[in-house]
Amino acid sequence: MSQTIERIHELVDKLNQYRHEYYNQDTPSVSDAVYDRLYDDLELWEKDTGIILSNSPTQTVGYKAVSSLEKVRHDIPLLSLAKTKAVSDLASFLKGHAALLMLKLDGLTVKLVYEGGKLVEGSTRGDGDEGELITHNISAFRNVPLSIPYKGRLVITGEGFIHKSDFERLKDTLTGSDGKPYRNARNLAAGSIRCLDANICKEREISFFAFNILEGMDEFEDSRDSRSGLLSILAEFGFEVCPAVYIPPDAKADHIASKIQKMAELADTWDIPIDGMVLRFNSFSYSASLGRTGHHYNDGIAFKFEDDPYETVFRRVEWQTGRSGEIAPVAVFDTVEIDGCEVSRASLHNLTFIKGLELHPGCRILVSKRNMIIPHVEENLDRGDYQDMTPQTCPCCGQPTRTHSRAGDKGRMVETFHCDNPGCGSRILQKFVHFAEKKAMNIRGLSEATLDQLIRLGALKGYQDLYHLDRYRDEIIALEGFGEKSYENLIASINESRSTTFVRFVVAMDIPLIGRTASRILDRHFHGSLRELRLAALDRFDFTCLEGIGDIMSSNLHKWFRNSDHLLLWGSLQKELHFENGLDAEASREENNMNKTTKD
């Protein structure tokens, strides 16, 4: 950071400290004349450089509140990176290309947009394709430039976070939406950045480090293909940039490991919360040539720190039948507190995983929360006494079960457990749960328990029945926990879901492996036309020509659309809905004679 920028930051920090002493502590350490002189100096520096920080005392803008967070689409998807816990993977990843090793900040990814030297938009990463507008809160951050000398369009990403010492100071005075104290700095940062009231965000001490440039700065030819070069220019514009070190093209694992250690020590010294490191190629052109998957960009890899394991006692396996018929095993163990949360259950993935751990009731196990989120059984400390705990019949319908073997990662075989009964109550229930989920038809307030009641009542046999529950009005009102008001709210929520999109509809159809990312790819290619998608699938269109769609996904699309029951559902359900892109009328007309156009 240049001396000019350092001077601006120094003046801002000093003046804010003096303001705090004067207004909050009533113990001023300098005279008004000294304060006024420094204030005038800061104004001159800001005028000369065009750089004004969000926490500058020269800014008298009020902090706004909004009634809700609007959604915003990201023209360039904000995807994540592949992950590893092995330093050797980082060395292998280089393949003869230089990279930057950066701190993996533990906060919330934020995108900033500048036009004409002014901040015009701030948003969260969200799901990568769609985030939430948080422009009103950016001025409440500690260190974001609201004005910069660069006058072109500039789009950058970075991390909003809370320094560890600030979290320790704040955590005992604040509670989350559940009324409980915040358990870590990441949760507090994420909640604060998404506050509706910027005055609340201001109190949370949010800092911002930039780590990537998405648009702009093309005129800096000497630095254009250098990530480190452009990041250094961002620093000249007043941004604080995520700390990084250069990794040479031929770096070995031990060299990278030493750099990781030094970077971790730096983060500790600077009080920065991190949960790993990020290795990303220094060349933008080489990065662009690597493309991306539906989940992550291929030009970088995240190195995750090992999760701390906690010892507890394994008690039993619970088996849960999902909508595909696969029966998932869940470990039940003595409650253990991890990262402030009580944990007593964790997925066991499949039979191969259980056998590999040699689990048996009463054995001591190590449990962690991977990425500080997902409970995971890491190890069995009492191996050598494996016990078969698989049920011979489905825990829901009582039909015989079967074991299925398939190829997993790196060619190894994986055993899974299945119920083949299409009438299994659990399978049917979970299909309706998926259909109503936020990422699918987004029927708010329709819980799994309510769906179970409606199925048992006989009101739900197919998805279309959801839109005709008025036929069972009296029976539903009489259900336990219901009444007229609950019924009206349910119907209103279901009717709201009638207005939907191509992506939500395709996700709701539950085509194997076709989730939101794949549905968005199909949406773009087929211009939001469900008819075009159907005809393409029936005509054996090669979906693998679309980036992000692989062989298995393409095969699944072909198989799904060649099922007459699926085609009937595809057409009849559209008649209940209204599509935001206006293609529903065309789709409805074309789908009327759908069965006649089905190809063998």
Side-chain angles (χ1 to χ4, degrees), residues 409-429:
D409 296 336
K410 300 179 181 179
R412 67 188 183 93
M413 297 305 294
V414 174
E415 287 186 320
T416 52
F417 205 49
H418 291 260
C419 168
D420 292 326
N421 176 19
C424 174
S426 182
R427 293 185 62 178
I428 293 172
L429 173 61

Side-chain angles (χ1 to χ4, degrees), residues 106-108 160-176 180-195 200-201 203-206:
D106 197 16
L108 188 71
F161 65 94
I162 296 177
H163 284 84
K164 291 186 289 186
S165 58
D166 288 324
F167 173 70
E168 290 301 318
R169 177 174 54 81
L170 292 167
K171 69 177 184 179
D172 294 329
T173 64
L174 301 171
T175 57
K180 297 180 180 179
Y182 286 95
R183 298 184 179 96
N184 52 59
R186 181 188 68 254
N187 289 348
L188 179 58
S192 303
I193 291 169
R194 298 180 65 254
C195 275
I200 295 176
C201 182
E203 299 170 356
R204 305 295 177 80
E205 305 287 359
I206 304 294

Side-chain angles (χ1 to χ4, degrees), residues 115-400:
E115 298 275 8
K118 302 293 183 182
L119 175 75
V120 296
E121 181 180 291
S123 61
T124 65
R125 173 183 177 272
D127 62 8
D129 287 299
E130 183 179 78
E132 294 175 316
L133 281 176
I134 54 164
T135 312
H136 67 292
N137 277 336
I138 302 302
S139 61
F141 281 33
R142 265 180 164 179
N143 61 339
V144 174
L146 303 179
S147 175
I148 60 176
Y150 183 76
K151 302 306 179 184
R153 177 176 169 83
L154 177 65
V155 182
I156 68 171
T157 52
E159 196 87 352
F161 65 94
I162 296 177
H163 284 84
K164 291 186 289 186
S165 58
D166 288 324
F167 173 70
E168 290 301 318
R169 177 174 54 81
L170 292 167
K171 69 177 184 179
D172 294 329
T173 64
L174 301 171
T175 57
S177 57
D178 58 0
K180 297 180 180 179
Y182 286 95
R183 298 184 179 96
N184 52 59
R186 181 188 68 254
N187 289 348
L188 179 58
S192 303
I193 291 169
R194 298 180 65 254
C195 275
L196 298 180
D197 188 346
N199 287 287
I200 295 176
C201 182
K202 174 68 175 175
E203 299 170 356
R204 305 295 177 80
E205 305 287 359
I206 304 294
S207 294
F208 176 84
F209 278 0
F211 55 61
N212 198 21
I213 300 100
L214 297 182
E215 295 182 54
M217 302 175 68
D218 292 335
E219 59 269 46
F220 294 94
E221 295 182 2
D222 293 341
S223 303
R224 187 66 192 95
D225 198 39
S226 167
R227 192 179 303 275
S228 57
L230 287 189
L231 289 175
S232 66
I233 294 174
L234 281 187
E236 296 297 325
F237 292 165
F239 294 96
E240 288 195 59
V241 175
C242 183
V245 293
Y246 178 81
I247 301 296
D250 57 351
K252 305 300 181 186
D254 56 350
H255 173 80
I256 297 175
S258 68
K259 293 297 184 183
I260 290 174
Q261 179 63 32
K262 290 180 179 179
M263 291 292 284
E265 292 172 357
L266 175 69
D268 189 57
T269 300
W270 287 6
D271 201 27
I272 301 171
I274 62 173
D275 60 353
M277 300 286 161
V278 170
L279 188 73
R280 205 157 196 175
F281 292 117
N282 197 36
S283 167
F284 276 106
S285 60
Y286 180 64
S287 290
S289 72
L290 297 174
R292 62 183 176 90
T293 69
H295 172 264
H296 62 262
Y297 287 105
N298 296 322
D299 68 330
I301 186 170
F303 175 77
K304 301 288 291 183
F305 293 150
E306 292 290 341
D307 303 291
D308 293 331
Y310 294 80
E311 182 177 327
T312 185
V313 177
F314 170 76
R315 295 302 177 186
R316 66 183 186 278
V317 178
E318 286 188 357
W319 299 90
Q320 301 176 345
T321 307
R323 62 185 190 275
S324 69
E326 182 171 337
I327 306 175
V330 176
V332 179
F333 44 82
D334 291 350
T335 301
V336 60
E337 183 172 312
I338 305 177
D339 191 27
C341 298
E342 291 187 348
V343 179
S344 60
R345 300 164 65 86
S347 170
L348 288 173
H349 308 295
N350 50 60
L351 292 179
T352 302
F353 185 79
I354 295 174
K355 291 178 180 178
L357 284 175
E358 301 179 26
L359 289 176
H360 57 89
C363 65
R364 294 172 302 139
I365 58 174
L366 295 180
V367 179
S368 72
K369 286 185 72 176
R370 290 197 171 179
N371 303 329
M372 301 177 71
I373 298 173
I374 303 171
H376 192 267
V377 178
E378 301 290 351
E379 182 57 276
N380 176 9
L381 300 177
D382 298 320
R383 288 175 174 269
D385 192 20
Y386 170 70
Q387 181 176 326
D388 183 8
M389 293 172 280
T390 56
Q392 298 303 305
T393 59
C394 172
C396 175
C397 67
Q399 293 294 307

Side-chain angles (χ1 to χ4, degrees), residues 52 56 113 121 189 206-207 210 250 277 293 297 318 350-351 392 432 435 501 503 511 521 527-528 555 561:
I52 302 177
S56 171
V113 181
E121 181 180 291
I206 304 294
S207 294
D250 57 351
M277 300 286 161
T293 69
Y297 287 105
E318 286 188 357
N350 50 60
L351 292 179
Q392 298 303 305
F432 276 101
F435 182 85
T501 65
V503 172
I511 304 169
I521 295 170
H527 314 101
S555 176
F561 278 98

Side-chain angles (χ1 to χ4, degrees), residues 473-584:
R473 180 184 183 280
D474 294 340
E475 293 92 330
I476 294 173
I477 290 175
L479 290 173
E480 183 179 353
F482 265 85
E484 289 194 14
K485 186 63 176 178
S486 298
Y487 169 81
E488 291 171 2
N489 290 339
L490 173 62
I491 296 301
S493 182
I494 290 173
N495 284 334
E496 283 180 17
S497 77
R498 288 181 183 272
S499 179
T500 191
T501 65
F502 176 105
V503 172
R504 289 190 183 281
F505 184 84
V506 173
V507 171
M509 292 299 93
D510 203 16
I511 304 169
L513 298 185
I514 307 299
R516 280 188 298 179
T517 299
S519 296
R520 287 176 179 136
I521 295 170
L522 297 172
D523 184 21
R524 288 192 292 268
H525 183 79
F526 294 105
H527 314 101
S529 172
L530 295 169
R531 173 182 177 271
E532 289 185 21
L533 170 58
R534 173 178 60 83
L535 293 177
L538 292 173
D539 199 33
R540 288 284 182 178
F541 174 77
D542 183 8
F543 291 99
T544 62
C545 71
L546 308 180
E547 184 178 1
I549 303 290
D551 290 336
I552 297 177
M553 297 164 74
S554 180
S555 176
N556 288 345
L557 282 162
H558 292 147
K559 290 178 181 177
W560 194 90
F561 278 98
R562 294 176 71 83
N563 181 301
S564 59
D565 290 337
H566 292 163
L567 284 173
L568 181 61
L569 170 65
W570 180 266
S572 60
L573 187 58
Q574 287 181 55
K575 298 173 185 177
E576 305 289 349
L577 309 173
H578 309 287
F579 291 83
E580 293 177 8
N581 58 11
L583 291 175
D584 55 313

